[in-house]
Amino acid sequence: MPILTPDERIGTLLAGRYRLLSILGEGGMGVVLAGKHELTGRSVAVKLLQPGLVTDPELLQRFFQEAKAAAALNHPNVVDVLDMGTDEGTAYLILERLEGQSLAERLEE
């Protein structure tokens, strides 16, 4: 399967259960998309590791290790990690989706 760009992923299904809806943000290591669980309807944030980084075993291990460490925390100021895995060569994290302002928007006010 060809590697899809973040824009091409909009509307697709990840891991058979998460519909990707829109791009929330991008960085050097990945992209975060708004998503929705197909069965429960729950809104989620989906963090995808850049495709070129998935082939680096050390980076992939660090990506999942950080998710495991965050999932072990239970604090109102830490986003919940709901799921993680790989799907067709894409490493992903499913995170609690928070609504609100970005820091830039808050500072602008």
Side-chain angles (χ1 to χ4, degrees):
M1 178 171 195
I3 296 173
L4 300 177
T5 66
D7 285 326
E8 292 171 330
R9 289 186 167 280
I10 304 303
T12 65
L13 200 59
L14 178 71
R17 39 186 194 279
Y18 301 103
R19 181 74 54 193
L20 303 179
L21 304 174
S22 63
I23 297 172
L24 297 174
E26 293 186 67
M29 293 194 63
V31 61
V32 178
L33 297 104
K36 187 167 282 219
H37 192 284
E38 282 287 283
L39 298 176
T40 66
R42 181 177 184 168
S43 293
V44 295
V46 180
K47 184 174 186 177
L48 303 176
L49 191 61
Q50 292 288 0
L53 302 178
V54 174
T55 58
D56 183 330
E58 190 174 308
L59 277 176
L60 189 59
Q61 180 182 9
R62 192 172 88 201
F63 182 73
F64 288 128
Q65 189 60 41
E66 288 177 10
K68 288 178 186 176
L73 300 174
N74 185 12
H75 191 277
N77 295 334
V78 177
V79 172
D80 286 336
V81 178
L82 306 172
D83 195 4
M84 66 178 121
T86 58
D87 182 49
E88 296 184 10
T90 300
Y92 66 87
L93 304 178
I94 305 300
L95 308 167
E96 170 187 20
R97 173 80 192 272
L98 301 177
E99 297 295 332
Q101 296 177 299
S102 69
L103 178 58
E105 291 168 335
R106 183 71 176 173
L107 290 173
E108 195 172 298
E109 284 185 356

